[in-house]
Amino acid sequence: MTATMPGHARPSARRFLEGRGRYVADLSMPGMLHAVVVRSAEAHADIAVDADPARAVAGVRLVLDGADILASIQPPPIIWDVPGQRRSGLRALAHGRVRYVGEPGALVVAESEAIARHAAALVRIAYVQRPVIASIDQALAADAPRLYDDWPDNVVASAEWSGGDPDAAFADAPVHVAGRYVSGRVAAHSLETRGVLAAYDPAQDGVTVHSSTQGPHQVREAIAWCLGVAEHRIRVIVPDVGGAFGSKSCPYGEEILLAHLALRLRAPVRWIESRAEAFVACVPGRDEIVDIELALSEDGAILGLKALITLDKGAEPYAASVGAAWAGAMMVTGAYRIANVHVATRVVVTNKTPTGAYRGYGTPEVNFALERALDDAARRIGLDPAELRRRNLVPAEAMPAPSATGLLLLDSGRYEEMLDLALDAFGYRARVDRARAARADGRAVGIGLAFYVEPTNLGPSALCGMIGINSGGFDIATLRMEPSGQVVVFTGQTPMGQGVERVLQQLCAAELTMPDEDVTVVHGDTQACPYTAYGSGGSRGTGIGGSAVMLAAGRLREKLCAIGAHLVGAAPDEVELSQGGVQVRGDSARRVSIARVARAAYLAHDLPAGMEPGLDARASFDPAALAITYGVALAEIEVDRETGLVEVRDILFGHDCGRQINPALVEAQVIGGIVQGIGATLYEGLDHDAAGQPATGCMRDYPLPFAADVPPIALVHLETPSPFFPNGAKGVGESGAIPIPAAIANAIRDALGDAAGDAVDRLPIRPENLLPS
C-alpha cells in the first residue's frame, strides 16, 4: 500500500473543507447582468427563432440569435488539426439549423437570473425536422444523410499507420482472435458546472473573463480569434475550479459569447451552467468503437495486430477535434512487443453533443479492446492471462523502445517486475484457485487483470506540430524572490482539484532549500502568469510545469549564490545554497541567510560587478519526449446470477509514475481514477434514442458509483524516473481510469464463462445483459 508521507498534505485543502472556495458562481460585480442560453430541443432540424416575446419583457437588456452574431463572431479555432480534417463552420449560436439537442439557439441577457430565465422560456424556436444520425453505423451507411451539406460524407478525418508486415504475420499465425469493443459515452460531472463572468475593462477597452477552465491562455486565444480582438485586450482569470477531468480543457461558445456581450454592453455579464444543461452542453467523453485482431503463436507470442478505431465526435468536431482517436492509435500496442502492426482511425459526426477530452483521452478505449482481446487469446491458447502478458511485455533492457508504427516511444519502465509485484501483493494464484472453487459451488466469482501504459507529460512541441495539435507542448515558469526572502512562483498551470499548486511549491522549495511555506504559487491569470502551451491537461502539470519551475529555481539559485559569495568574500564556486542560506562549503561560520541576500539584491548597494538588482528568474521547458506511465490492475468480482448485479470485491492497482514528488497526491489521483473507471464500467452511460434525444437529463438518470460501490483498493508502486524530465516525474492523473474497465470486464468473463457473451465487450456492462436470455 502506498504510504502517505507526513508534510505532504495540501495546505489549501482546509479552505475548501471549510467552504471558503471561490468559484465563478460566487463572483458578483456591481451592475452585473445575467445570461441564459436557449438550447435546441431537437437533434436535427431547420429552425426559425422568434425572440420578440422575450425582448418585450421588462428587465431584458438583449436577446441574440444566430443571425445576430454572423458578422461579429467567427467559428472557433480547431485544437487538433490533422491533414484533410473537415470543419463545420458552426458558430456560438446556431443559424438556420441545429444538429444536436442542447445546441445553443439564442441567448437572453437580463438584469436578474430570474428575469433571464423567464424571458428565455418565451423564446420560440420553430423546427422542421431533418433525418437524425444517432450512431456510428448510421453515420457510415452508404445512404446516410449528411450533417454538413458541403461534406461528401460524415467522416471528419481518417488516417492509417503501419509497421512491419502485418498481412504476412496474420497469414502465417496459427491463432487469430478478433472482437469489437465499445466504450460508451460518459459525462465528466465535475462538482462545479461551467461558469463564465465577463466584464468590460475601460482601461484597455477590453474584457476580463472569469471562467472555470483548464486552459486560460487557450480561452484567451479563442476569444481573440472569434471576436477579432487583440490578445493584450483580453484577460482571463480562473478562480477555484471544482473539478474538470478534461471537460473544461477546450474553449466553449459561452466564453466567447459573454466576452462579446461585455464588450457590447459595457457591463459585466455572468452565465452559470445548470446541472441539466451540463448533460447536453458540456462535452462528454469516450463514445468509441475499437475493432481489433490479434495474431499469435501457439505459445502465446503476439505476432501481429490490426485495429480500426472509430470515434463518434457528435455534431461538431472542434472540441478536442480528432485527438482522442489519434491518441488511441498511438497507444493501441500497449506495453507489448508487437513487430507487425496496422492501425486505422476514423472520426465521424452524429446528431449528439460534441465529444471532447475526458480522463484518459483515447487510451482507456484502446486499452479496453487490447486487454479484452488478450484475455480471449489466453483462453484460446490455454495460458494463464498473466503469463500470456508476461511473455509479451517489453523488457526493461530494451528501453527506450519505439513501437512498430513509430507513433510511441516507451521511455522507461520495469514492466515484468511490476506485474510480479502486483500479482504477489494481490495473492493472484490463491484468488484464482478460490474463484474456481466458488464457481464449482455455483457462485459467479471471477478474477481479472489488465496491464496499461499511459502517455503523459504531453509534448514536445515538435511532436505536437507533427500530429496536428495547434499549440506547443512547453511550459514557462517565472519566479520572484521578495526582499524578505520569500518566493512567488507564477505558473500557467491551473489547479482543479489535482493539487498541482502544492507540487510546484514543493519543487521550488526543494531547489532553494527553504521551507515549503515560504513559497507561494500564483496561477489562473493570463495578465500575471506566463504562457502554458497546452493548458492543464495531458497529465503534464508536474512533469512539464514542475520541470520549468525547477529550471527557473536553478537560475535563481545561481544568482543567490553569486550575491551570497560576494557578501562573505568568497568565489561563487566556493559556496552552496543550504537550508535557507548561502555558505562556504565546509565552513558554516561563513554563512549568510537568504533573507539577507534578498535584501542586498533589492538595495543594490553592494552587488557583484555588472549584476542587475532584484531576484527574478524565468525558464521554459519543452520536453524531448513523452513520459510513459504504466502499471496493472487486478480485480475480484462476483455476479449475482439472479439480478446480474456485479459486486467489485477487491482491487489492487500497481503503477509506476516515475519519481513521486507528493505520494499523498499520487494516491489520491490513482484512487479517484479507479472510481471513475468503475463508474464507466458498470454504471455510467449517456444514451440517446433513435431520434437523437438523450435518455439522461438529470442525476437520477445517470448513476454514479456511491462510496458503498467502491471496494477496498490496495496500491503498490515502483519508481522508474523518466530520463527526459529533470524531476523524473511521469503523469498520474489519468492512470486509474485506464485499465479498470478491462480488468473488471475480464473478471466478469472469468466468472460467467461463455455465458457472458459479448456483454463484457460493451461499456457500461449492464446487469440485464449478464442474465441468461
Side-chain angles (χ1 to χ4, degrees), residues 167-186:
D167 289 337
F170 273 82
D172 297 337
V175 179
H176 288 195
V177 173
R180 166 167 282 200
Y181 304 93
V182 179
S183 293
R185 177 174 286 228
V186 293

Side-chain angles (χ1 to χ4, degrees), residues 363-547:
T363 303
E365 298 93 304
V366 296
N367 181 266
F368 177 62
L370 177 61
E371 294 294 319
R372 279 287 304 114
L374 286 173
D375 251 42
D376 288 345
R379 275 188 299 276
R380 181 83 58 84
I381 295 170
L383 270 179
D384 177 83
E387 179 57 28
L388 184 140
R389 287 166 172 84
R390 183 196 315 282
R391 294 183 183 185
N392 289 283
L393 290 171
V394 174
E397 60 270 18
M399 302 288 185
S403 65
T405 59
L407 292 173
L408 176 66
L409 179 71
L410 301 175
D411 66 331
S412 59
R414 294 170 281 166
Y415 294 175
E416 188 172 346
E417 184 178 347
M418 169 59 72
L419 179 61
D420 289 338
L421 176 69
L423 293 175
D424 183 63
F426 192 60
Y428 175 74
R429 179 46 55 195
R431 286 180 186 261
V432 167
D433 291 342
R434 288 198 300 269
R436 186 179 295 114
R439 292 195 295 273
D441 288 338
R443 295 168 55 203
V445 177
I447 307 297
L449 79 156
F451 210 92
Y452 79 98
V453 289
E454 173 194 355
T456 72
N457 295 352
L458 183 61
S461 296
L463 173 65
C464 291
M466 185 173 66
I467 60 179
I469 298 176
N470 276 331
S471 76
F474 62 88
D475 213 276
I476 301 172
T478 302
L479 273 59
R480 183 180 71 227
M481 180 170 279
E482 306 290 5
S484 57
Q486 282 78 37
V487 174
V488 182
V489 175
F490 296 90
T491 178
Q493 290 294 323
T494 302
M496 47 200 167
Q498 83 279 43
V500 67
E501 76 284 11
R502 173 63 175 135
V503 172
L504 300 185
Q505 179 192 45
Q506 287 180 244
L507 288 168
C508 179
E511 287 294 308
L512 298 176
T513 69
M514 62 197 315
D516 291 354
E517 57 268 22
D518 283 352
V519 177
T520 300
V521 179
V522 175
H523 51 80
D525 187 342
T526 58
Q527 193 171 85
C529 298
Y531 187 83
T532 291
Y534 194 78
S536 293
S539 293
R540 62 196 304 276
T542 298
I544 298 180
S547 292

